[in-house]
């Protein structure tokens, strides 16, 4: 099989790169739709089946990506060091690039760009084919453009598969609670929730002796959990005087003029 693939190196490389692009999107999309819940593994053995299915799906892009590298090694046995150097350099540039990209777009959109790059690499490799090179290259180039621009978001992921026990899912069960803003970065997905019917009152460490009700708040969830709050403040310190009765205010009570790093 190795000799057969090496003899057809451009076509084999292009096919592997294209399959990487396809499975990068398809494997993630299917895995998101599996009814896997890690919290149930202890008492529901069927979750082990879904866990194995997740691994089987998510290993496919890595397999086809590694196939591209392995084919390059077999095709250029005398330049393995050079090929490996380019492989590591590409991995480093890709890692930095995806971190920067995640500041601009949501993870599902970033995944589309990764898949589009794979199809573009496949199109470039197809130019080395002996037969039908232009047809293959143009077809793969169009696939790259479609994935990057026109692929419906629902094909990548309908919505993040989030545990029902996370704070965000529980907060959205309250009548009239709704998500009013979402922002994504490499540090996590921030979700801002408004709940006019049952307002949020988030004041960790608040003293039991406090008698002041916190003003209206918006809840901010990081990756569906780790709640924090945005408190309405109109410029009147008396409205947020309850903060002086939290444990976070202790350093300001002990020191007269503490130096604070924000």
């Amino acid at each position: 099989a190795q000799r057969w693939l090496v003899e057809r190196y451009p076509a084999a490389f292009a096919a592997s790169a294209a399959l990487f692009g396809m499975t990068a999107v398809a494997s993630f999309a299917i895995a998101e739709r599996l009814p896997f819940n890690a919290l149930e593994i202890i008492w529901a053995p069927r979750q082990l089946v879904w866990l194995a299915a997740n691994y089987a799906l998510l290993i496919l892009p890595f397999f086809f990506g590694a196939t591209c590298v392995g084919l390059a090694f077999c095709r250029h046995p005398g330049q393995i060091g050079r090929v490996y150097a380019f492989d590591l350099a590409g991995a480093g540039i890709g890692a930095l690039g995806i971190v920067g990209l995640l500041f601009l777009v949501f993870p599902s959109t970033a995944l589309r760009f990764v898949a589009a790059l794979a199809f573009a690499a496949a199109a470039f490799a197809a130019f080395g084919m002996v037969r039908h090179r232009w047809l293959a290259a143009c077809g793969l180039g169009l696939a790259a453009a479609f994935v990057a621009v026109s692929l419906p978001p629902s094909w990548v992921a309908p919505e993040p598969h989030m545990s029902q026990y996370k704070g965000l899912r529980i907060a959205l069960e309250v009548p009239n609670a709704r998500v009013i803003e979402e922002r994504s970065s490499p540090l996590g997905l921030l979700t801002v929730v408004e709940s006019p019917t049952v307002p949020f009152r988030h004041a960790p460490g608040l003293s039991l002796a406090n008698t002041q009700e916190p003003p209206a708040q918006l809840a901010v969830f990081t990756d569906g959990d780790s709640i924090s709050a945005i408190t309405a403040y109109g410029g009147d310190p008396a409205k947020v005087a309850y903060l002086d009765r939290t444990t976070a205010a202790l350093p300001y009570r002990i020191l007269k003029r503490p130096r604070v790093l924000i």
Side-chain angles (χ1 to χ4, degrees), residues 162-163 165-170 189-191 220-227:
M162 190 175 297
S163 170
Y165 303 108
K166 282 202 169 187
L168 176 58
R169 288 285 297 273
I170 296 172
L189 176 65
L190 296 180
T191 306
V220 182
F221 295 90
T222 303
D223 292 332
D225 224 351
S226 303
I227 184 174

Side-chain angles (χ1 to χ4, degrees), residues 127-147:
F127 280 111
M129 295 170 56
V130 177
R131 301 174 58 185
H132 309 299
R133 67 176 66 182
W134 285 104
L135 179 62
C138 291
L140 291 168
L142 289 174
F146 172 77
V147 170

